[in-house]
Amino acid sequence: MGYSSEWLMVEIMDAPSEDNSSCYSLQETEWCSYNNSGGYDAAYLGNVDDYYTEWAAIDDLLFNETFTLKDIGGLTLNFTVSHHFWEKDYYHEYDCWSDHMLASVLTINNTVSGVSLNPEGGWSHPVNKDVKTHIEQKKDVYVPNPEYKGDFYVLVTCSTDCICSAYNYTVL
């Protein structure tokens, strides 16, 4: 139970210039468009109905990011998922609150070939019940926990006829 937000950025590797070489929620390009099912700028998961059914109508949410890429034949792309750290670790005093156990899932579908590039279930960052997202430095002062591994990337290479393969899944 908890809240989690993560965002995706897609970058063209070895682009001749940095102009228009990356795409994310606030920067679309001619080769990449962005949509979010909830109107946000990141993937968002609110999971509260396990304990607080009265909150479920307003806080049990799942907002997906969808990127549509075109004209990427012959390119290598870096798909990076980054965890958004809130300003503090909310509700950490409750045993049932476990936002550190929520992780978004990256899936990549090639609509040209009709092939899913990801392993079954997609890619995600690891979670550990003993590793919280934040560390309390002093009363009500929190910093991101360096042991929390909430970022990862996957490289995708496409041939000129857009037959693509994914490799090098790496947790950061």
Side-chain angles (χ1 to χ4, degrees):
M1 186 164 96
Y3 305 111
S4 182
S5 182
E6 296 171 352
W7 69 92
L8 175 66
M9 181 168 65
V10 183
E11 301 170 279
I12 297 174
M13 302 300 292
D14 301 323
S17 77
E18 290 188 24
D19 294 341
N20 296 321
S21 65
S22 62
C23 178
Y24 54 97
S25 61
L26 302 176
Q27 179 177 317
E28 296 184 51
T29 67
E30 64 274 353
W31 59 271
C32 177
S33 62
Y34 177 85
N35 184 51
N36 185 293
S37 62
Y40 280 42
D41 61 356
Y44 177 81
L45 175 61
N47 178 21
V48 297
D49 69 342
D50 298 345
Y51 291 92
Y52 302 104
T53 55
E54 66 277 5
W55 289 7
I58 57 170
D59 268 1
D60 217 37
L61 304 168
L62 176 61
F63 297 145
N64 295 308
E65 291 184 295
T66 301
F67 289 77
T68 303
L69 311 180
K70 63 180 185 176
D71 301 326
I72 59 167
L75 297 177
T76 297
L77 305 165
N78 182 13
F79 290 73
T80 302
V81 174
S82 300
H83 179 79
H84 172 75
F85 288 94
W86 308 116
E87 64 186 35
K88 64 181 245 174
D89 192 4
Y90 293 98
Y91 310 114
H92 65 280
E93 65 274 17
Y94 298 108
D95 289 338
C96 65
W97 203 261
S98 55
D99 60 350
H100 62 289
M101 296 298 292
L102 302 175
S104 60
V105 176
L106 173 64
T107 59
I108 302 174
N109 299 305
N110 184 334
T111 57
V112 172
S113 66
V115 173
S116 176
L117 303 183
N118 48 272
E120 185 176 338
W123 296 281
S124 192
H125 64 76
V127 294
N128 180 327
K129 66 181 179 66
D130 297 323
V131 179
K132 301 278 190 175
T133 58
H134 292 75
I135 297 171
E136 188 173 18
Q137 284 189 321
K138 57 184 178 180
K139 183 159 176 52
D140 292 328
V141 176
Y142 296 85
V143 296
N145 183 348
E147 297 298 314
Y148 182 79
K149 303 298 182 194
D151 301 345
F152 67 92
Y153 70 85
V154 175
L155 295 177
V156 172
T157 298
C158 298
S159 66
T160 53
D161 55 351
C162 223
I163 304 302
C164 303
S165 61
Y167 61 99
N168 204 30
Y169 160 75
T170 304
V171 174
L172 303 172

